[in-house]
Amino acid sequence: MAKIFCIANQKGGVGKTTTTVNLAAGLAKVGQRVLMVDLDPQGNATMGSGIDKRKLELSVYDVLLESASVREARVQSAKLQEAGCGYDILAANRELAGAEVEMVSLDRREKRLKTALVEVDADYDFVLIDCPPSLSMLTLNGLCCAHGVIVPMQCEYFALEGLADLVNTIKQVHANLNKDLAIIGLLRVMFDPRITLQQQVSEQLKARFGDKVFNTVIPRNVRLAEAPSYGVPGVVFDPASKGAQAFVTFATEMVARIETI
């Protein structure tokens, strides 16, 4: 049975998409079967996985409106397959922005993704969902089908405030729509150990959330930032970089952690 995880944070610019595509590539590299679902109309995770969002025949939009199945809509990137980090992609483009409006009047509108993923449950070990930076109908679809939430966050003061909002949202979804939902862990990203404030916030996180904070820390790394312009995750773009190695370590930690859930 696939383990489904949302990569979510209501604060923008915290590295959700970078985390999603690099974790997907890292998990594939350590032998896991992965589906990456792009729920953001900007389609950044799609482009960052080597798929041209302008040339999609079918996308997650079609899946949510039940005009295509996941098996019909999923695609693969030749670049990632060649690198030995291949994963399936349920891609997104601008059409997805219209899905929110169209779904308002539909039955089971917040559980459409959950229904669609049931048919491919046996095909994957992990399903990773890249959520938009807001509590929209799309994010709600992700949270309603997930077993847990991975929260990427920078070790800065405002990030702590945003985290409190996200925890409340997750509690509400857990109480009303998805009894399985929980925070799996907090991932410290774009971390610079030379900055005293970041070290202090990191310590506060560990004191407050304990073992919910992943051991792996993703460093601030220019190679991870450059990778999307080449249409591949950093794990593929420069496997020797500190950022790529950290994500492979994180993938290994994720595999170990879900065995204890």
PDB file of all heavy atoms in Angstrom, residues 91-111:
ATOM      1  N   ALA A  91       1.118  15.499 -13.736  1.00  0.00           N
ATOM      2  CA  ALA A  91       1.579  16.860 -13.987  1.00  0.00           C
ATOM      3  C   ALA A  91       0.451  17.890 -13.900  1.00  0.00           C
ATOM      4  O   ALA A  91      -0.730  17.557 -13.927  1.00  0.00           O
ATOM      5  CB  ALA A  91       2.247  16.918 -15.365  1.00  0.00           C
ATOM      6  N   ALA A  92       0.866  19.170 -13.816  1.00  0.00           N
ATOM      7  CA  ALA A  92      -0.092  20.278 -13.712  1.00  0.00           C
ATOM      8  C   ALA A  92       0.298  21.400 -14.661  1.00  0.00           C
ATOM      9  O   ALA A  92       1.466  21.578 -15.004  1.00  0.00           O
ATOM     10  CB  ALA A  92      -0.132  20.805 -12.280  1.00  0.00           C
ATOM     11  N   ASN A  93      -0.709  22.167 -15.074  1.00  0.00           N
ATOM     12  CA  ASN A  93      -0.485  23.396 -15.836  1.00  0.00           C
ATOM     13  C   ASN A  93      -1.553  24.412 -15.446  1.00  0.00           C
ATOM     14  O   ASN A  93      -2.290  24.214 -14.482  1.00  0.00           O
ATOM     15  CB  ASN A  93      -0.470  23.121 -17.344  1.00  0.00           C
ATOM     16  CG  ASN A  93      -1.744  22.418 -17.816  1.00  0.00           C
ATOM     17  OD1 ASN A  93      -2.782  22.479 -17.157  1.00  0.00           O
ATOM     18  ND2 ASN A  93      -1.662  21.750 -18.947  1.00  0.00           N
ATOM     19  N   ARG A  94      -1.654  25.506 -16.193  1.00  0.00           N
ATOM     20  CA  ARG A  94      -2.565  26.587 -15.804  1.00  0.00           C
ATOM     21  C   ARG A  94      -4.032  26.175 -15.752  1.00  0.00           C
ATOM     22  O   ARG A  94      -4.827  26.816 -15.075  1.00  0.00           O
ATOM     23  CB  ARG A  94      -2.401  27.765 -16.767  1.00  0.00           C
ATOM     24  CG  ARG A  94      -1.111  28.545 -16.529  1.00  0.00           C
ATOM     25  CD  ARG A  94      -1.001  29.705 -17.489  1.00  0.00           C
ATOM     26  NE  ARG A  94       0.324  30.308 -17.421  1.00  0.00           N
ATOM     27  CZ  ARG A  94       0.809  31.097 -18.365  1.00  0.00           C
ATOM     28  NH1 ARG A  94       0.099  31.363 -19.436  1.00  0.00           N
ATOM     29  NH2 ARG A  94       2.009  31.626 -18.238  1.00  0.00           N
ATOM     30  N   GLU A  95      -4.383  25.140 -16.503  1.00  0.00           N
ATOM     31  CA  GLU A  95      -5.767  24.651 -16.465  1.00  0.00           C
ATOM     32  C   GLU A  95      -6.233  24.374 -15.040  1.00  0.00           C
ATOM     33  O   GLU A  95      -7.405  24.515 -14.712  1.00  0.00           O
ATOM     34  CB  GLU A  95      -5.898  23.349 -17.274  1.00  0.00           C
ATOM     35  CG  GLU A  95      -6.006  23.535 -18.768  1.00  0.00           C
ATOM     36  CD  GLU A  95      -6.313  22.211 -19.450  1.00  0.00           C
ATOM     37  OE1 GLU A  95      -6.061  21.146 -18.842  1.00  0.00           O
ATOM     38  OE2 GLU A  95      -6.813  22.238 -20.587  1.00  0.00           O
ATOM     39  N   LEU A  96      -5.281  23.973 -14.207  1.00  0.00           N
ATOM     40  CA  LEU A  96      -5.615  23.560 -12.846  1.00  0.00           C
ATOM     41  C   LEU A  96      -6.230  24.704 -12.032  1.00  0.00           C
ATOM     42  O   LEU A  96      -7.034  24.468 -11.133  1.00  0.00           O
ATOM     43  CB  LEU A  96      -4.360  23.014 -12.157  1.00  0.00           C
ATOM     44  CG  LEU A  96      -4.538  22.324 -10.805  1.00  0.00           C
ATOM     45  CD1 LEU A  96      -5.539  21.185 -10.890  1.00  0.00           C
ATOM     46  CD2 LEU A  96      -3.204  21.798 -10.291  1.00  0.00           C
ATOM     47  N   ALA A  97      -5.865  25.939 -12.368  1.00  0.00           N
ATOM     48  CA  ALA A  97      -6.438  27.092 -11.652  1.00  0.00           C
ATOM     49  C   ALA A  97      -7.957  27.125 -11.826  1.00  0.00           C
ATOM     50  O   ALA A  97      -8.699  27.505 -10.915  1.00  0.00           O
ATOM     51  CB  ALA A  97      -5.815  28.391 -12.164  1.00  0.00           C
ATOM     52  N   GLY A  98      -8.432  26.708 -12.991  1.00  0.00           N
ATOM     53  CA  GLY A  98      -9.871  26.677 -13.246  1.00  0.00           C
ATOM     54  C   GLY A  98     -10.585  25.556 -12.522  1.00  0.00           C
ATOM     55  O   GLY A  98     -11.803  25.614 -12.299  1.00  0.00           O
ATOM     56  N   ALA A  99      -9.842  24.529 -12.139  1.00  0.00           N
ATOM     57  CA  ALA A  99     -10.462  23.373 -11.468  1.00  0.00           C
ATOM     58  C   ALA A  99     -11.103  23.774 -10.151  1.00  0.00           C
ATOM     59  O   ALA A  99     -12.145  23.235  -9.772  1.00  0.00           O
ATOM     60  CB  ALA A  99      -9.413  22.281 -11.230  1.00  0.00           C
ATOM     61  N   GLU A 100     -10.496  24.735  -9.453  1.00  0.00           N
ATOM     62  CA  GLU A 100     -11.034  25.170  -8.156  1.00  0.00           C
ATOM     63  C   GLU A 100     -12.464  25.669  -8.306  1.00  0.00           C
ATOM     64  O   GLU A 100     -13.355  25.316  -7.541  1.00  0.00           O
ATOM     65  CB  GLU A 100     -10.170  26.300  -7.592  1.00  0.00           C
ATOM     66  CG  GLU A 100      -8.780  25.852  -7.267  1.00  0.00           C
ATOM     67  CD  GLU A 100      -8.368  26.244  -5.869  1.00  0.00           C
ATOM     68  OE1 GLU A 100      -9.237  26.265  -4.978  1.00  0.00           O
ATOM     69  OE2 GLU A 100      -7.189  26.503  -5.687  1.00  0.00           O
ATOM     70  N   VAL A 101     -12.685  26.498  -9.328  1.00  0.00           N
ATOM     71  CA  VAL A 101     -14.018  27.062  -9.557  1.00  0.00           C
ATOM     72  C   VAL A 101     -14.982  25.958  -9.986  1.00  0.00           C
ATOM     73  O   VAL A 101     -16.120  25.880  -9.506  1.00  0.00           O
ATOM     74  CB  VAL A 101     -13.955  28.166 -10.638  1.00  0.00           C
ATOM     75  CG1 VAL A 101     -15.342  28.735 -10.901  1.00  0.00           C
ATOM     76  CG2 VAL A 101     -12.989  29.265 -10.221  1.00  0.00           C
ATOM     77  N   GLU A 102     -14.525  25.085 -10.873  1.00  0.00           N
ATOM     78  CA  GLU A 102     -15.385  24.031 -11.405  1.00  0.00           C
ATOM     79  C   GLU A 102     -15.756  23.000 -10.341  1.00  0.00           C
ATOM     80  O   GLU A 102     -16.820  22.390 -10.399  1.00  0.00           O
ATOM     81  CB  GLU A 102     -14.701  23.339 -12.591  1.00  0.00           C
ATOM     82  CG  GLU A 102     -14.545  24.245 -13.803  1.00  0.00           C
ATOM     83  CD  GLU A 102     -13.768  23.586 -14.924  1.00  0.00           C
ATOM     84  OE1 GLU A 102     -14.182  22.483 -15.352  1.00  0.00           O
ATOM     85  OE2 GLU A 102     -12.749  24.145 -15.367  1.00  0.00           O
ATOM     86  N   MET A 103     -14.882  22.811  -9.355  1.00  0.00           N
ATOM     87  CA  MET A 103     -15.122  21.782  -8.345  1.00  0.00           C
ATOM     88  C   MET A 103     -16.090  22.214  -7.249  1.00  0.00           C
ATOM     89  O   MET A 103     -16.615  21.376  -6.521  1.00  0.00           O
ATOM     90  CB  MET A 103     -13.786  21.346  -7.720  1.00  0.00           C
ATOM     91  CG  MET A 103     -12.949  20.489  -8.655  1.00  0.00           C
ATOM     92  SD  MET A 103     -11.241  20.324  -8.104  1.00  0.00           S
ATOM     93  CE  MET A 103     -11.438  19.396  -6.606  1.00  0.00           C
ATOM     94  N   VAL A 104     -16.325  23.521  -7.135  1.00  0.00           N
ATOM     95  CA  VAL A 104     -17.163  24.030  -6.044  1.00  0.00           C
ATOM     96  C   VAL A 104     -18.540  23.373  -6.031  1.00  0.00           C
ATOM     97  O   VAL A 104     -19.075  23.028  -4.972  1.00  0.00           O
ATOM     98  CB  VAL A 104     -17.307  25.572  -6.141  1.00  0.00           C
ATOM     99  CG1 VAL A 104     -18.412  26.080  -5.219  1.00  0.00           C
ATOM    100  CG2 VAL A 104     -15.986  26.239  -5.785  1.00  0.00           C
ATOM    101  N   SER A 105     -19.113  23.143  -7.208  1.00  0.00           N
ATOM    102  CA  SER A 105     -20.474  22.605  -7.278  1.00  0.00           C
ATOM    103  C   SER A 105     -20.522  21.080  -7.391  1.00  0.00           C
ATOM    104  O   SER A 105     -21.603  20.498  -7.497  1.00  0.00           O
ATOM    105  CB  SER A 105     -21.201  23.216  -8.485  1.00  0.00           C
ATOM    106  OG  SER A 105     -20.499  22.904  -9.680  1.00  0.00           O
ATOM    107  N   LEU A 106     -19.362  20.425  -7.373  1.00  0.00           N
ATOM    108  CA  LEU A 106     -19.324  18.971  -7.576  1.00  0.00           C
ATOM    109  C   LEU A 106     -19.467  18.199  -6.270  1.00  0.00           C
ATOM    110  O   LEU A 106     -19.151  18.699  -5.192  1.00  0.00           O
ATOM    111  CB  LEU A 106     -17.998  18.571  -8.244  1.00  0.00           C
ATOM    112  CG  LEU A 106     -17.722  19.163  -9.631  1.00  0.00           C
ATOM    113  CD1 LEU A 106     -16.356  18.713 -10.131  1.00  0.00           C
ATOM    114  CD2 LEU A 106     -18.803  18.763 -10.639  1.00  0.00           C
ATOM    115  N   ASP A 107     -19.958  16.958  -6.390  1.00  0.00           N
ATOM    116  CA  ASP A 107     -20.026  16.066  -5.233  1.00  0.00           C
ATOM    117  C   ASP A 107     -18.612  15.655  -4.822  1.00  0.00           C
ATOM    118  O   ASP A 107     -17.720  15.567  -5.654  1.00  0.00           O
ATOM    119  CB  ASP A 107     -20.820  14.795  -5.586  1.00  0.00           C
ATOM    120  CG  ASP A 107     -22.274  15.108  -5.888  1.00  0.00           C
ATOM    121  OD1 ASP A 107     -22.757  16.123  -5.370  1.00  0.00           O
ATOM    122  OD2 ASP A 107     -22.896  14.360  -6.658  1.00  0.00           O
ATOM    123  N   ARG A 108     -18.435  15.356  -3.515  1.00  0.00           N
ATOM    124  CA  ARG A 108     -17.162  14.850  -2.991  1.00  0.00           C
ATOM    125  C   ARG A 108     -15.978  15.705  -3.457  1.00  0.00           C
ATOM    126  O   ARG A 108     -14.908  15.193  -3.761  1.00  0.00           O
ATOM    127  CB  ARG A 108     -16.905  13.406  -3.437  1.00  0.00           C
ATOM    128  CG  ARG A 108     -17.987  12.396  -3.159  1.00  0.00           C
ATOM    129  CD  ARG A 108     -17.698  11.054  -3.794  1.00  0.00           C
ATOM    130  NE  ARG A 108     -17.805  11.077  -5.252  1.00  0.00           N
ATOM    131  CZ  ARG A 108     -16.801  11.183  -6.090  1.00  0.00           C
ATOM    132  NH1 ARG A 108     -15.566  11.270  -5.649  1.00  0.00           N
ATOM    133  NH2 ARG A 108     -16.987  11.203  -7.397  1.00  0.00           N
ATOM    134  N   ARG A 109     -16.162  17.000  -3.526  1.00  0.00           N
ATOM    135  CA  ARG A 109     -15.141  17.847  -4.157  1.00  0.00           C
ATOM    136  C   ARG A 109     -13.802  17.798  -3.447  1.00  0.00           C
ATOM    137  O   ARG A 109     -12.773  17.941  -4.095  1.00  0.00           O
ATOM    138  CB  ARG A 109     -15.638  19.283  -4.282  1.00  0.00           C
ATOM    139  CG  ARG A 109     -16.061  19.955  -2.988  1.00  0.00           C
ATOM    140  CD  ARG A 109     -16.552  21.371  -3.258  1.00  0.00           C
ATOM    141  NE  ARG A 109     -16.948  22.034  -2.019  1.00  0.00           N
ATOM    142  CZ  ARG A 109     -18.182  22.073  -1.553  1.00  0.00           C
ATOM    143  NH1 ARG A 109     -19.140  21.473  -2.223  1.00  0.00           N
ATOM    144  NH2 ARG A 109     -18.468  22.702  -0.428  1.00  0.00           N
ATOM    145  N   GLU A 110     -13.795  17.570  -2.132  1.00  0.00           N
ATOM    146  CA  GLU A 110     -12.508  17.561  -1.427  1.00  0.00           C
ATOM    147  C   GLU A 110     -11.856  16.175  -1.418  1.00  0.00           C
ATOM    148  O   GLU A 110     -10.744  16.015  -0.958  1.00  0.00           O
ATOM    149  CB  GLU A 110     -12.668  18.091   0.009  1.00  0.00           C
ATOM    150  CG  GLU A 110     -13.468  17.217   0.945  1.00  0.00           C
ATOM    151  CD  GLU A 110     -14.981  17.328   0.739  1.00  0.00           C
ATOM    152  OE1 GLU A 110     -15.448  18.359   0.228  1.00  0.00           O
ATOM    153  OE2 GLU A 110     -15.685  16.364   1.075  1.00  0.00           O
ATOM    154  N   LYS A 111     -12.551  15.159  -1.964  1.00  0.00           N
ATOM    155  CA  LYS A 111     -11.991  13.800  -1.917  1.00  0.00           C
ATOM    156  C   LYS A 111     -11.781  13.199  -3.309  1.00  0.00           C
ATOM    157  O   LYS A 111     -11.633  11.990  -3.463  1.00  0.00           O
ATOM    158  CB  LYS A 111     -12.913  12.896  -1.100  1.00  0.00           C
ATOM    159  CG  LYS A 111     -13.041  13.382   0.348  1.00  0.00           C
ATOM    160  CD  LYS A 111     -13.337  12.289   1.320  1.00  0.00           C
ATOM    161  CE  LYS A 111     -13.255  12.820   2.750  1.00  0.00           C
ATOM    162  NZ  LYS A 111     -13.779  11.882   3.734  1.00  0.00           N
TER     163      LYS A 111
END
